[in-house]
Short mmCIF file of all heavy atoms in Angstrom, two decimals:
data_model
loop_
_atom_site.label_atom_id
_atom_site.label_comp_id
_atom_site.label_asym_id
_atom_site.label_seq_id
_atom_site.Cartn_x
_atom_site.Cartn_y
_atom_site.Cartn_z
N SER A 75 0.71 63.94 20.28
CA SER A 75 -0.41 63.42 21.13
C SER A 75 -1.43 64.47 21.46
O SER A 75 -2.18 64.27 22.40
CB SER A 75 0.12 62.75 22.36
OG SER A 75 0.73 63.83 23.09
N VAL A 77 -4.94 66.36 20.54
CA VAL A 77 -6.14 66.37 19.75
C VAL A 77 -6.25 67.67 18.84
O VAL A 77 -6.40 67.52 17.72
CB VAL A 77 -7.42 66.12 20.58
CG1 VAL A 77 -8.65 66.23 19.76
CG2 VAL A 77 -7.37 64.68 21.22
N THR A 115 -4.86 54.96 22.53
CA THR A 115 -5.64 56.06 23.16
C THR A 115 -7.16 55.82 23.07
O THR A 115 -7.61 55.19 22.06
CB THR A 115 -5.31 57.40 22.49
OG1 THR A 115 -6.19 58.32 22.96
CG2 THR A 115 -5.47 57.31 20.96
N ALA A 116 -7.84 56.39 24.08
CA ALA A 116 -9.37 56.38 23.92
C ALA A 116 -9.82 57.16 22.74
O ALA A 116 -11.05 57.03 22.36
CB ALA A 116 -9.85 56.93 25.25
N ALA A 117 -8.97 58.07 22.24
CA ALA A 117 -9.41 58.86 21.06
C ALA A 117 -9.66 57.96 19.79
O ALA A 117 -10.19 58.44 18.80
CB ALA A 117 -8.40 59.93 20.75
N TYR A 139 -5.63 62.61 15.32
CA TYR A 139 -4.82 61.94 16.35
C TYR A 139 -5.37 60.57 16.64
O TYR A 139 -4.56 59.58 16.53
CB TYR A 139 -4.79 62.80 17.63
CG TYR A 139 -4.28 61.95 18.84
CD1 TYR A 139 -2.87 61.65 18.83
CD2 TYR A 139 -5.08 61.76 19.92
CE1 TYR A 139 -2.42 60.91 19.91
CE2 TYR A 139 -4.55 61.06 20.99
CZ TYR A 139 -3.22 60.70 20.99
OH TYR A 139 -2.70 59.95 22.02
N TYR A 166 -5.35 54.70 26.55
CA TYR A 166 -5.42 55.64 27.67
C TYR A 166 -6.61 56.53 27.56
O TYR A 166 -6.90 57.02 26.52
CB TYR A 166 -4.22 56.58 27.77
CG TYR A 166 -2.86 56.01 27.61
CD1 TYR A 166 -1.79 56.89 27.34
CD2 TYR A 166 -2.52 54.69 27.77
CE1 TYR A 166 -0.46 56.49 27.29
CE2 TYR A 166 -1.21 54.24 27.57
CZ TYR A 166 -0.23 55.19 27.37
OH TYR A 166 1.09 54.75 27.20
N PHE A 167 -7.16 56.79 28.78
CA PHE A 167 -8.10 57.85 28.89
C PHE A 167 -7.36 59.04 29.30
O PHE A 167 -6.30 59.25 28.77
CB PHE A 167 -9.32 57.37 29.74
CG PHE A 167 -10.20 56.39 28.88
CD1 PHE A 167 -9.71 55.21 28.50
CD2 PHE A 167 -11.43 56.80 28.50
CE1 PHE A 167 -10.42 54.24 27.66
CE2 PHE A 167 -12.18 55.87 27.70
CZ PHE A 167 -11.69 54.72 27.30
N ASN A 168 -7.81 59.87 30.20
CA ASN A 168 -7.08 61.17 30.40
C ASN A 168 -6.08 61.03 31.56
O ASN A 168 -6.46 60.88 32.78
CB ASN A 168 -8.06 62.34 30.66
CG ASN A 168 -8.81 62.65 29.44
OD1 ASN A 168 -9.49 61.83 28.84
ND2 ASN A 168 -8.64 63.94 29.02
N THR A 188 -2.06 72.24 26.95
CA THR A 188 -3.49 72.21 26.45
C THR A 188 -4.39 71.44 27.40
O THR A 188 -5.59 71.43 27.26
CB THR A 188 -3.56 71.60 25.02
OG1 THR A 188 -3.15 70.25 25.13
CG2 THR A 188 -2.74 72.36 24.04
N HIS A 189 -3.88 70.67 28.31
CA HIS A 189 -4.68 69.80 29.18
C HIS A 189 -5.37 70.46 30.24
O HIS A 189 -4.92 71.46 30.80
CB HIS A 189 -3.77 68.65 29.67
CG HIS A 189 -3.33 67.76 28.58
ND1 HIS A 189 -2.09 67.20 28.49
CD2 HIS A 189 -3.98 67.22 27.50
CE1 HIS A 189 -1.97 66.40 27.42
NE2 HIS A 189 -3.14 66.41 26.79
N LEU A 190 -6.53 69.91 30.59
CA LEU A 190 -7.48 70.62 31.49
C LEU A 190 -6.85 70.88 32.83
O LEU A 190 -6.86 72.00 33.30
CB LEU A 190 -8.71 69.72 31.63
CG LEU A 190 -9.77 70.30 32.56
CD1 LEU A 190 -10.31 71.61 32.00
CD2 LEU A 190 -10.92 69.30 32.78
N ASN A 193 -3.93 73.27 33.27
CA ASN A 193 -4.34 74.68 32.90
C ASN A 193 -5.20 75.26 33.99
O ASN A 193 -5.16 76.41 34.32
CB ASN A 193 -5.14 74.67 31.50
CG ASN A 193 -4.18 74.76 30.41
OD1 ASN A 193 -2.99 75.09 30.56
ND2 ASN A 193 -4.61 74.51 29.17
N ILE A 203 -9.34 80.22 32.98
CA ILE A 203 -9.36 79.06 32.02
C ILE A 203 -10.61 79.16 31.16
O ILE A 203 -11.72 79.46 31.63
CB ILE A 203 -9.27 77.71 32.77
CG1 ILE A 203 -9.03 76.57 31.70
CG2 ILE A 203 -10.44 77.43 33.64
CD1 ILE A 203 -8.68 75.25 32.28
N LYS A 204 -10.48 78.75 29.87
CA LYS A 204 -11.59 78.68 28.96
C LYS A 204 -12.11 77.29 28.96
O LYS A 204 -11.41 76.35 28.68
CB LYS A 204 -11.21 79.13 27.61
CG LYS A 204 -10.80 80.60 27.45
CD LYS A 204 -10.43 81.00 26.12
CE LYS A 204 -10.27 82.48 25.87
NZ LYS A 204 -9.40 83.17 26.86
N ILE A 205 -13.48 77.14 29.14
CA ILE A 205 -14.06 75.83 29.10
C ILE A 205 -14.66 75.73 27.68
O ILE A 205 -15.55 76.60 27.29
CB ILE A 205 -15.16 75.65 30.16
CG1 ILE A 205 -14.54 75.93 31.50
CG2 ILE A 205 -15.85 74.32 30.08
CD1 ILE A 205 -13.36 75.03 31.82
N PHE A 206 -14.32 74.64 26.98
CA PHE A 206 -14.70 74.46 25.56
C PHE A 206 -16.06 73.89 25.43
O PHE A 206 -16.21 72.70 25.09
CB PHE A 206 -13.60 73.73 24.78
CG PHE A 206 -12.33 74.36 24.86
CD1 PHE A 206 -11.19 73.59 25.23
CD2 PHE A 206 -12.10 75.70 24.47
CE1 PHE A 206 -9.87 74.22 25.29
CE2 PHE A 206 -10.82 76.30 24.61
CZ PHE A 206 -9.79 75.52 24.94
N CYS A 217 -18.00 68.56 28.84
CA CYS A 217 -17.56 67.21 28.40
C CYS A 217 -17.13 66.34 29.63
O CYS A 217 -16.67 66.88 30.66
CB CYS A 217 -16.26 67.36 27.49
SG CYS A 217 -16.53 67.90 25.91
N ARG A 219 -14.88 63.15 31.05
CA ARG A 219 -13.69 62.38 30.83
C ARG A 219 -13.38 61.45 31.96
O ARG A 219 -13.90 61.69 33.11
CB ARG A 219 -12.46 63.31 30.59
CG ARG A 219 -12.56 64.17 29.39
CD ARG A 219 -12.29 63.34 28.11
NE ARG A 219 -12.29 64.13 26.87
CZ ARG A 219 -13.39 64.43 26.19
NH1 ARG A 219 -14.60 64.05 26.60
NH2 ARG A 219 -13.36 65.16 25.08
N TYR A 221 -10.35 60.26 34.21
CA TYR A 221 -9.04 60.61 34.52
C TYR A 221 -8.30 59.53 35.27
O TYR A 221 -8.83 58.88 36.18
CB TYR A 221 -9.09 61.95 35.43
CG TYR A 221 -9.61 63.09 34.67
CD1 TYR A 221 -11.03 63.31 34.56
CD2 TYR A 221 -8.89 63.85 33.84
CE1 TYR A 221 -11.58 64.34 33.84
CE2 TYR A 221 -9.41 64.92 33.11
CZ TYR A 221 -10.73 65.12 33.11
OH TYR A 221 -11.30 66.18 32.32
N ILE A 256 -16.37 68.52 33.19
CA ILE A 256 -15.33 69.56 33.50
C ILE A 256 -15.72 70.37 34.70
O ILE A 256 -14.87 70.72 35.58
CB ILE A 256 -15.20 70.47 32.21
CG1 ILE A 256 -14.68 69.68 31.07
CG2 ILE A 256 -14.33 71.66 32.55
CD1 ILE A 256 -14.53 70.39 29.76
N ARG A 279 -14.36 72.90 21.21
CA ARG A 279 -13.05 72.78 20.49
C ARG A 279 -13.19 71.65 19.50
O ARG A 279 -13.78 70.60 19.82
CB ARG A 279 -12.02 72.35 21.58
CG ARG A 279 -10.62 72.34 21.18
CD ARG A 279 -9.67 72.05 22.38
NE ARG A 279 -9.83 70.63 22.88
CZ ARG A 279 -9.05 70.10 23.79
NH1 ARG A 279 -8.09 70.88 24.39
NH2 ARG A 279 -9.10 68.90 24.15
N ASP A 282 -13.16 67.18 19.85
CA ASP A 282 -13.58 66.70 21.18
C ASP A 282 -14.80 65.85 21.07
O ASP A 282 -15.81 66.29 20.57
CB ASP A 282 -13.91 67.82 22.14
CG ASP A 282 -12.64 68.38 22.80
OD1 ASP A 282 -11.65 67.70 22.84
OD2 ASP A 282 -12.84 69.51 23.36
N LEU A 286 -16.13 60.29 27.31
CA LEU A 286 -15.17 59.19 27.21
C LEU A 286 -15.01 58.55 28.57
O LEU A 286 -14.43 59.29 29.47
CB LEU A 286 -13.81 59.60 26.67
CG LEU A 286 -13.73 60.08 25.20
CD1 LEU A 286 -12.33 60.58 24.89
CD2 LEU A 286 -14.00 58.83 24.30
N1 UFG B 1 -10.71 71.51 28.19
C1 UFG B 1 -11.16 72.78 28.40
N2 UFG B 1 -10.31 73.76 28.60
C2 UFG B 1 -8.92 73.59 28.54
C3 UFG B 1 -8.43 72.34 28.32
C4 UFG B 1 -9.37 71.30 28.11
O1 UFG B 1 -12.34 73.05 28.41
O2 UFG B 1 -8.18 74.65 28.75
C5 UFG B 1 -11.60 70.40 28.01
C6 UFG B 1 -11.48 69.74 26.55
O3 UFG B 1 -12.28 70.41 25.67
C7 UFG B 1 -12.03 68.31 26.98
C8 UFG B 1 -11.51 68.12 28.40
O4 UFG B 1 -11.31 69.42 28.92
O5 UFG B 1 -13.35 68.26 26.93
C9 UFG B 1 -10.16 67.34 28.46
O6 UFG B 1 -9.27 67.97 27.57
P1 UFG B 1 -7.73 67.67 27.58
O7 UFG B 1 -7.10 68.55 26.54
O8 UFG B 1 -7.18 67.76 28.99
O9 UFG B 1 -7.65 66.11 27.08
P2 UFG B 1 -8.28 65.42 25.83
O10 UFG B 1 -9.53 64.74 26.35
O11 UFG B 1 -8.43 66.33 24.70
O12 UFG B 1 -7.21 64.39 25.37
C10 UFG B 1 -6.51 63.59 26.38
C11 UFG B 1 -5.21 63.32 25.72
C12 UFG B 1 -5.32 62.46 24.47
C13 UFG B 1 -6.20 61.30 24.74
C14 UFG B 1 -7.47 61.60 25.32
C15 UFG B 1 -8.17 60.32 25.67
O13 UFG B 1 -4.49 64.50 25.39
O14 UFG B 1 -4.03 62.11 23.99
O15 UFG B 1 -7.24 62.38 26.51
O16 UFG B 1 -9.40 60.56 26.51
F1 UFG B 1 -6.45 60.57 23.55
#
Side-chain angles (χ1 to χ4, degrees):
S75 67
V77 171
T115 173
Y139 168 63
Y166 311 166
F167 287 64
N168 289 56
T188 62
H189 290 138
L190 180 65
N193 275 346
I203 188 170
K204 293 182 169 50
I205 302 307
F206 300 129
C217 285
R219 294 287 182 274
Y221 296 88
I256 295 176
R279 185 177 74 174
D282 275 343
L286 290 173

